[in-house]
Amino acid sequence: MPGRGRVYDERDVRVRPSRRGTRPRTKERPAHDDAVVGMVTAVDRGRWTTLVPADAAGPERVVIAMRARELGRSPVVVGDEVGMVGDTSGVEGSLARIVRIQERRTLLRRTADDTDPFERAIVANADQLVVVSALANPEPRPRLIDRCLVAAYDAGLDPLLVLTKSDLASGEDFLAQYAPLDVPHVTTAVLEPGSEGLEALQQRLAGRMSVLVGHSGVGKSTLVNALVPDAGRAIGHVNDVTGRGRHTSTSAVGLRLPPLDGSDDAQDAPSSGWIIDTPGIRSFGLAHVEPDRIIGHFPELSQGAEEGCPRGCTHDEPDCGLDEWVEQGHAGPNGEQRLDSFRRLLRARTPQTGD
């Protein structure tokens, strides 16, 4: 028996429009071939300050940017070279979007402590790590310096040791323990224009991207203000009771060094270089560093490790083949001192009281 209901066809179908539009979903993202590349010089509360070199759109300019969602959780740090789209004019009130992080040449990392498996990126694309330490007030902390050296070797940075306040104490005995490591050093006293220590440091920094690290109170901000007179970094004092300084730098910032020839235009002086000032540190976690990354900076020992050490050797145990390698003279006349220094750096990865 035929039904009595209405017969429907395609004309009766009603499709509710999607609030997201009618375009099909895709995982493809824009290539952003027209992105403008700039260097990150500061990070502050979700806004990245970048310096864009002169291009067809205009002269060198400072561009404020936010990160695009497509970057996910990838950290963007001072020293990063980033691609930006949107308003890259640099005029007041403009805001660009960071859509790409260029390939990094180096990356300085640390962990919160030696049990933390998560790495924190500090600075990108630096080529020199300047470890700043005072010879007195506060007293130097050799194990913290050792940890910074390990981080430099791991990141592929050249270390430079800068000792401040040499007018309060001599640095001869302190430097003797770093002689086997061949770490270059500069000693400074009163930082005044034309002073011997300041000029030597300027020569070491010229043409390089250098990141400054050191614990609070060592005179790092004073050093930055002497190198870059317009920096205006806040200066603190050392507590007479605890012997510690206060954190005056709260975030990393990149500063361009003035030209060595004294000219006013740093933009046209390729040898001027950059320094990146970082907040004072109380500890430097090295949970991410493997021993094999450190021994690579001791070429006279690395061959002995490959030929004489069993797999899994920590290089700081009684059966380590490096002892025999050094005794046989393969590491040169200073082999014993170099091995002791290498093992000291290995032990710096293990936290101790006072680090």
Side-chain angles (χ1 to χ4, degrees):
M1 181 176 179
R4 298 181 180 180
R6 179 181 173 184
V7 178
Y8 293 93
D9 60 21
E10 63 274 7
R11 290 173 298 180
D12 296 290
V13 177
R14 296 291 184 264
V15 178
R16 179 179 297 175
S18 171
R19 286 181 290 182
R20 296 186 178 181
T22 57
R23 292 185 300 173
R25 289 187 175 184
T26 177
K27 292 184 178 180
E28 296 181 0
R29 294 286 184 256
H32 298 301
D33 295 329
D34 59 341
V36 174
V37 177
M39 187 186 80
V40 177
T41 59
V43 183
D44 183 25
R45 292 171 293 183
R47 293 294 183 266
W48 283 258
T49 302
T50 68
L51 185 66
V52 176
D55 54 17
E60 182 182 78
R61 57 201 181 275
V62 175
V63 175
I64 306 300
M66 60 179 289
R67 58 183 298 141
R69 181 181 299 178
E70 58 204 72
L71 286 181
R73 296 187 177 183
S74 301
V76 182
V77 297
V78 173
D80 264 326
E81 296 174 355
V82 296
M84 297 173 289
V85 298
D87 191 347
T88 59
S89 63
V91 299
E92 185 177 357
S94 63
L95 185 65
R97 286 188 301 120
I98 299 176
V99 295
R100 183 173 61 245
I101 303 174
Q102 304 291 97
E103 184 177 356
R104 291 162 169 159
R105 296 181 293 277
T106 61
L107 181 63
L108 179 64
R109 304 167 295 165
R110 61 176 286 196
T111 55
D113 54 51
D114 293 306
T115 62
D116 185 4
F118 299 103
E119 303 171 5
R120 274 81 168 172
I122 304 176
V123 171
N125 297 321
D127 54 28
Q128 183 170 236
L129 180 66
V130 181
V131 185
V132 184
S133 177
L135 289 169
N137 192 31
E139 295 296 321
R141 298 170 59 185
R143 279 186 57 82
L144 181 60
I145 295 175
D146 291 347
R147 283 173 163 261
C148 292
L149 293 179
V150 171
Y153 294 145
D154 177 69
L157 308 183
D158 296 329
L160 172 65
L161 183 58
V162 175
L163 302 178
T164 62
K165 307 182 183 181
S166 61
D167 54 320
L168 302 180
S170 172
E172 185 176 352
D173 293 338
F174 181 78
L175 287 171
Q177 59 186 310
Y178 291 98
L181 290 173
D182 294 329
V183 177
H185 68 274
V186 175
T187 303
T188 65
V190 180
L191 295 173
E192 295 179 349
S195 64
E196 181 178 354
L198 186 60
E199 288 188 351
L201 180 57
Q202 289 171 329
Q203 294 290 339
R204 290 281 187 179
L205 300 178
R208 310 200 67 174
M209 176 82 76
S210 305
V211 52
L212 276 62
V213 298
H215 62 90
S216 302
V218 298
K220 187 161 54 65
S221 295
T222 303
L223 195 65
V224 171
N225 289 335
L227 292 168
V228 187
D230 298 332
R233 300 295 272 177
I235 299 174
H237 300 280
V238 177
N239 189 298
D240 293 333
V241 177
T242 63
R244 292 183 175 182
R246 290 184 55 191
H247 291 288
T248 55
S249 303
T250 58
S251 60
V253 60
L255 301 166
R256 181 158 45 195
L257 293 167
L260 291 178
D261 58 7
S263 61
D264 296 331
D265 192 0
Q267 300 180 20
D268 298 330
S271 63
S272 58
W274 285 78
I275 58 173
I276 300 177
D277 186 21
T278 62
I281 57 175
R282 294 276 173 84
S283 63
F284 208 110
L286 299 173
H288 61 287
V289 178
E290 296 295 333
D292 290 342
R293 300 287 297 271
I294 305 175
I295 199 172
H297 292 269
F298 294 80
E300 71 274 34
L301 299 178
S302 59
Q303 183 179 354
E306 294 178 1
E307 298 180 4
C309 293
R311 178 177 295 182
C313 179
T314 63
H315 305 310
D316 192 16
E317 54 190 54
D319 296 331
C320 178
L322 289 178
D323 293 290
E324 183 178 355
W325 176 266
V326 170
E327 290 176 0
Q328 294 176 353
H330 297 302
N334 298 323
E336 185 175 352
Q337 293 178 322
R338 293 278 287 174
L339 179 59
D340 290 341
S341 298
F342 167 63
R343 286 175 171 165
R344 190 183 79 207
L345 294 183
L346 289 180
R347 296 177 191 127
R349 298 169 59 249
T350 305
Q352 293 183 5
T353 303
D355 282 357

